[in-house]
Amino acid sequence: MIEKPADRHWNLPDHARARAHFDWAEVRAGLAGLPGGGLNIGWEALDRHVADGNGARLALRWLGKDGAVRDYTYAQLLAEAQRFACVLERLGVGPGECVAVLAGRIPELYIAALGALRAGIVLCPLFSAFGPEPVHTRLEKSHARVLVTTVTLYQRKIAALRDTLPALDTVLTVGGDCPGTFRFEALMAQAETGCPVAATGPDSPALLHYTSGTTGSPKGALHVHGAVAAHAWSGRAVLDLRPGDVYWCTADPGWVTGISYGLIAPLVNGVTMIIDEAEFDAQRWYRILDEQQVSIWYTAPTAIRMLMKLGDAPMAGRTLPALRLMASVGEPLNPEAVLWGQRVFGQPFHDTWWQTETGAIMVANYGSEPVAPGSMGRPLPGIDAAIVHRRRDGGLDFLPDGEAGELAIRAGWPSMFRAYLDEPERYASCFADGWYLSGDRAQRDADGRYWFVGRADDVIKTSGHLIGPFEVESVLLEHPAVAEAGVIGKPDPWAGELIKAFVALKPGHTGDDALRKSLIAHARTRLGPAVAPRELGFVDSLPKTRSGKILRRLLKARELGLPEGDLSTLEGHES
Ligand code: 6R9
């Protein structure tokens, strides 16, 4: 157990007390709300601070990969967001319709996101390292009418598929002129500021995040403007955000963490956020923590493990006096990583658990509490968690402390997803007896702490990215040599899991090294490097159930050398 100094002040000084007295109505009452009623995330993030006289406060400091720095105050970011809302209005895009963004960490992405939210238009973020296939699937399913992207990404990933996306009538590109698109900067230059906020309410749709399941195509988790209550509260209670903080969330805005905690929670809480355009670089990260005087740092286990790999040397001569809290999310945080944080930074990493579907942090370690390395922590005040077993009749059994089962959250918290777009049955299957079933296995100890056990289904977390095996298998099956494909997550000391494919070939093909390379290259081109298999093995045939479904768990057991007969811990459900 890592004890904490008692002399610190925290937003959440007493977790148990806060839980006992918690009321979401109080959090909602602390939000600004729209004049005349209603609720809008963009308004809470920007207008509210400007109205409170804090327009000159730095909202966003962007660090370009080649050394450029761009600063935006709250007032400037609001003006830019209004301009973008005006662009959307001129394009005839109205509330409830969908705008997708596909870009690296550039200021225009954040401006477009805030402008869309403020205009009541649903924001669908897409990960810029996805290849054309995952981008196409998500754009098609979202029915997005507008896409904001860059010239390079458009040419590489969209242009060839544009004809197959009938709903997508406008593409705005940053960084130059490009046939078939409008130049983002040009439309922004013609647009006005002062655009009014849309009359959204707590139940108006706001965000569409695609996430992966075991089977089928990705699921569009739809979130509402009312989710901002959970972003605001968890930002304060877990990340200890306060006005004046310099906050750095290293997550990419193509994933839920990069939006909930890389955009909404920090701005709603009035902090200055650092956005680094560059890819991971350990030396650069230490320099940013130091030079920008980061006070709150929210990062991920894969990145922490990469920093650990370099040893303690980069910290030599640095004390990081501003750094108050370090937190992590996205994958299991190894106890060694927590202890390493304590040794090198003088404080542990605080693990937090949540999902695309939960929209905000559900379980966490708190600054004011001792940390048990390896534990995800305790549920937030306002969140009820339980370990359950879903019976065959659909009801739930609640399991006692120490027993592993599925981690469930009592339905009804503000940032709970409200639909899987166009898939009501898939959505309904996530709930039982008024509880949301997460698909994660965990156990609770006698102190109420939760410990991650594993996934109950076949989805893969690789370097923090959630990947559905079905998407990878489908792309491998496109290759003329492939008869069958099965994809698993293979434990890896750095990435958590790496994507491993097993392939059975059609007659006449030989599973040699050249074919292996060509299959991996095919997958990389179609899926992007983050999603393509890193390893690929040839098999004569894939193990299947009687009804013909691939037994990925058996593939995994074989790969790990586990006894095949004992699949009890590997047995899962589909989601
Ligand atoms: C926010 C985010 C969700 C899945 C989740 C679980 C894994 C997240 C974790 C963790 C162990 C933690 N996960 N936090 N596993 N310890 N602290 O990552 O959302 O991309 O939807 O992934 O990530 O398996 O179910 P998302």
Side-chain angles (χ1 to χ4, degrees), residues 31 40-46 49 74 77 110 113-114 117 123 125 206-209 223-236 239 241 247 249 253 255-271 273 275 354 359-360 415:
L31 297 170
N40 180 282
I41 295 177
W43 182 273
E44 299 297 322
L46 299 175
H49 303 298
Y74 276 87
L77 208 48
Y110 296 87
L114 289 162
L117 288 167
L123 174 72
L207 295 154
L208 182 62
H209 284 292
H223 288 277
V224 292
H225 280 272
V228 71
H231 299 135
W233 168 237
S234 56
R236 281 203 297 280
L239 300 175
L241 298 179
Y247 165 79
C249 169
W255 300 93
V256 73
T257 307
I259 297 292
S260 289
Y261 295 97
L263 177 69
I264 301 172
L267 292 182
V268 167
N269 282 299
V271 309
M273 51 181 202
I275 303 293
W354 59 288
S415 61

Side-chain angles (χ1 to χ4, degrees), residues 247-554:
Y247 165 79
W248 186 25
C249 169
T250 62
D252 191 271
W255 300 93
V256 73
T257 307
I259 297 292
S260 289
Y261 295 97
L263 177 69
I264 301 172
L267 292 182
V268 167
N269 282 299
V271 309
T272 296
M273 51 181 202
I274 300 292
I275 303 293
D276 182 27
E277 186 191 22
E279 290 312 314
F280 176 83
D281 169 346
Q283 301 287 353
R284 182 178 167 103
W285 277 32
Y286 282 107
R287 212 173 57 237
I288 291 174
L289 289 169
D290 197 357
E291 288 177 4
Q292 301 302 326
Q293 301 183 35
V294 171
S295 51
I296 310 288
W297 182 30
Y298 197 22
T299 188
T302 293
I304 298 168
R305 289 190 292 262
M306 302 289 274
L307 293 173
M308 289 170 73
K309 206 175 183 175
L310 270 181
D312 308 355
M315 266 299 279
R318 302 186 203 270
T319 52
L320 308 181
L323 191 61
R324 188 166 83 247
L325 185 92
M326 315 193 299
S328 162
V329 67
E331 322 152 52
L333 181 64
N334 330 40
E336 306 78 56
V338 180
L339 295 166
W340 178 78
Q342 179 69 26
R343 189 165 58 75
V344 174
F345 296 90
Q347 53 186 309
F349 284 98
H350 293 76
D351 194 12
T352 66
W353 177 91
W354 59 288
Q355 304 179 306
T356 301
E357 286 84 348
T358 71
I361 299 169
M362 299 283 107
V363 174
N365 288 277
Y366 304 90
S368 57
E369 299 221 306
V371 168
S375 162
M376 306 192 292
R378 298 184 227 260
L380 238 76
I383 299 299
D384 290 329
I387 301 296
V388 304
H389 170 73
R390 201 198 287 230
R391 292 193 308 266
R392 285 201 182 279
D393 68 8
L396 295 181
D397 291 328
F398 289 80
L399 304 186
D401 292 346
E403 244 178 71
E406 191 165 356
L407 174 53
I409 308 288
R410 192 195 297 278
W413 70 97
S415 61
M416 184 176 90
F417 70 131
R418 299 303 164 89
Y420 283 136
L421 192 69
D422 298 332
E423 297 183 278
E425 280 166 23
R426 227 172 169 184
Y427 182 73
S429 73
C430 297
F431 295 87
D433 286 354
W435 289 75
Y436 163 69
L437 297 155
S438 69
D440 276 4
R441 290 172 56 76
Q443 61 188 55
R444 185 182 48 224
D445 66 20
D447 293 326
R449 290 195 171 84
Y450 284 74
W451 300 74
F452 185 75
V453 174
R455 286 289 309 189
D457 57 16
D458 289 343
V459 296
I460 301 163
K461 257 284 160 121
T462 177
S463 300
H465 306 321
L466 193 76
I467 307 295
F470 180 81
E471 257 187 306
V472 184
E473 290 160 2
S474 305
V475 157
L476 288 169
L477 285 170
E478 292 169 359
H479 194 282
V482 176
E484 295 178 325
V487 166
I488 62 159
K490 175 180 168 182
D492 177 78
W494 306 111
E497 289 183 307
L498 61 78
I499 299 178
K500 169 140 197 181
F502 294 89
V503 166
L505 296 173
K506 287 185 184 153
H509 295 276
T510 314
D512 55 17
D513 212 40
L515 184 55
R516 176 180 295 114
K517 285 198 181 115
S518 128
L519 286 173
I520 291 180
H522 162 77
R524 285 176 73 92
T525 312
R526 303 279 292 135
L527 295 165
V531 190
R534 204 98 72 75
E535 290 185 9
L536 188 142
F538 295 107
V539 288
D540 291 337
S541 66
L542 291 172
K544 289 192 220 64
T545 60
R546 240 174 279 153
S547 62
K549 273 192 248 160
I550 296 166
L551 278 168
R552 299 192 187 94
R553 307 212 144 218
L554 193 57

